[in-house]
Amino acid sequence: MDTSKLIGGRFRVKDRPVSGAMGDVWPAEDTRLGRTVALKFLARKRLRHQGAPTEFTDWTVKKFEWESVAMARVSHAHVAQIYDTGEHEGELYIVMEYIQGKSLAGHLREGPALPLERTVRWTQEICEGLDAAHSREVIHHDIKPDNIMITHEGKVKIVDFGLASFADATQSHTGVGTALYKAPERWCGSAGSVSSDLYSVGCVLYEMLTRRPPFGSPQDDFMTVGRMHQDNLPAPPSAHRPGVPDQIDHIVRILLAKDPGERPQSAEAVVRAMSDIQHSLGFDDLSTALGRTDLSDATESNAGHSDRIRELDQRIFELELRFGPYGQAVIETRMEHAELTGQSGDTRGAAALYNRLGRDCQEYFGPYDTRVLNAFEGVARWIARSGAK
């Protein structure tokens, strides 16, 4: 494709594309409005040259057109915005919001485990975006870490509505979706629904907590993973990551219920649940204190700390079994864990860990105990460091 010409009479390609199996995404300048956009091209000619069956190529064209209509229906801060569509040299394209950041999948592959505060907050934002889509009768069908972008400011953007269907339409898409995140009923021929999107959210939340999907791995056979979704019960996240609170184990269990009727009835209900968890764990007060999230915390974190952080997670669990949750060795290790989290670059996560420790000690020892004061000093110190970045 010749990118030396203005595309659509206004878009000038700025850099090399990010290429996928069925298309490419190019950063481009909108010369009329003076902003950077993303041009998502369907590589229809490439598919034909590679020998793709005509039926498959026709389906990808419909899928591509479907994506533009679906995204145009939804306007929300946590859903990537679509601006326009067009055709250039026989190739279809969508003009989309340009997102500076990286996918949730990238965050899960790199650096230490996500702090609980960030996991809860991102899950809430995913569901806020989904609730906006569902309210417009748009079902995503392919919620997974690769389709969730995290901006440099630390905000969620849901992308790739290419498999989306409208709840008021007859098109089912029963055969599509990503195996690791696909709801049990969809393996049995169901068209999918709000509930199946929420099951996928449960899979993503599980992976954010444990660094593994609830069933299978990318190397497993497609149908083997499908049988796991239909027949197996996952271990609670706390079994893989000691310290995950009961409230989070509970919401994961409900989201991953085999029967769609036993899952939350709406994405809004999950938003409320995650908000309650933020409040109960003290994360909402922390968010107010920190203000806007700067994701330089996450993107600059030192992955070299990750092994030690995981060791401390396990150490805290073992010490609590021996000495109880308020033993001095437990408190000292929790402080070390919070401190190392901050040193890894995750200042927000460090403040969240200190904040929870301070609240726990306050409840048990009283508000003026030295351990309480030391924990809240840690909160203030890491909040200050976050603001200085």
Side-chain angles (χ1 to χ4, degrees), residues 1 7-8 11 22-26 38-48 57-69 82 84-96:
M1 183 178 67
I7 295 171
F11 302 109
M22 293 184 291
D24 308 307
V25 179
W26 299 74
L39 301 182
K40 182 174 182 177
F41 274 86
L42 173 65
R44 182 167 46 181
K45 292 180 180 177
R46 187 166 73 207
L47 288 171
R48 288 172 178 165
T57 303
D58 292 344
W59 179 81
T60 59
V61 170
K62 290 180 180 178
K63 168 182 172 294
F64 196 78
E65 294 170 341
W66 198 264
E67 177 176 10
S68 62
V69 176
I82 183 171
D84 204 352
T85 63
E87 187 171 341
H88 179 75
E89 296 182 350
E91 297 287 15
L92 303 175
Y93 66 86
I94 300 172
V95 186
M96 302 169 56

Side-chain angles (χ1 to χ4, degrees), residues 228-245:
M228 291 179 182
H229 280 289
Q230 295 171 75
D231 301 332
N232 294 9
L233 293 177
S238 59
H240 298 293
R241 180 177 174 177
V244 172

Side-chain angles (χ1 to χ4, degrees), residues 61-129:
V61 170
K62 290 180 180 178
K63 168 182 172 294
F64 196 78
E65 294 170 341
W66 198 264
E67 177 176 10
S68 62
V69 176
M71 292 182 70
R73 273 198 178 191
V74 184
S75 177
H76 192 271
H78 297 309
V79 176
Q81 189 174 355
I82 183 171
Y83 302 134
D84 204 352
T85 63
E87 187 171 341
H88 179 75
E89 296 182 350
E91 297 287 15
L92 303 175
Y93 66 86
I94 300 172
V95 186
M96 302 169 56
E97 175 183 4
Y98 179 72
I99 301 171
Q100 290 186 301
K102 66 180 178 181
S103 70
L104 176 58
H107 283 281
L108 293 173
R109 284 192 299 266
E110 303 165 10
L114 295 178
L116 288 176
E117 186 277 335
R118 187 175 297 153
T119 297
V120 171
R121 177 164 45 86
W122 284 352
T123 302
Q124 181 173 338
E125 291 181 0
I126 291 166
C127 289
E128 287 172 356

Side-chain angles (χ1 to χ4, degrees), residues 136-275:
R136 302 298 296 169
E137 300 187 318
V138 175
I139 311 300
H140 190 283
H141 285 313
D142 200 24
I143 291 294
K144 60 182 179 180
D146 284 305
N147 287 341
I148 298 164
M149 293 295 295
I150 308 297
T151 70
H152 286 331
E153 292 76 29
K155 301 298 183 183
V156 161
K157 293 278 188 180
I158 301 174
V159 299
D160 200 349
F161 279 75
L163 300 182
S165 69
F166 299 152
D168 55 1
T170 58
Q171 190 167 354
S172 68
H173 296 292
T174 56
V176 298
T178 303
L180 293 175
Y181 311 95
K182 190 172 174 182
E185 65 273 15
R186 297 198 57 230
W187 292 92
C188 301
S190 168
S193 62
V194 166
S195 185
S196 59
D197 270 358
L198 295 181
Y199 181 92
S200 299
V201 170
C203 294
V204 171
L205 173 56
Y206 195 99
E207 189 167 351
M208 283 196 282
L209 291 165
T210 68
R211 302 174 72 94
R212 67 182 77 185
F215 301 110
S217 70
Q219 292 74 41
D220 287 331
D221 174 72
F222 181 84
M223 293 309 298
T224 298
V225 175
R227 286 191 292 273
M228 291 179 182
H229 280 289
Q230 295 171 75
D231 301 332
N232 294 9
L233 293 177
S238 59
H240 298 293
R241 180 177 174 177
V244 172
D246 291 342
Q247 305 100 305
I248 296 181
D249 272 349
H250 179 69
I251 189 64
V252 169
R253 184 168 65 251
I254 294 174
L255 286 167
L256 295 181
K258 303 300 183 189
D259 181 352
E262 295 179 1
R263 296 177 206 145
Q265 295 303 298
S266 67
E268 183 183 12
V270 183
V271 171
R272 291 196 301 269
M274 301 315 289
S275 178

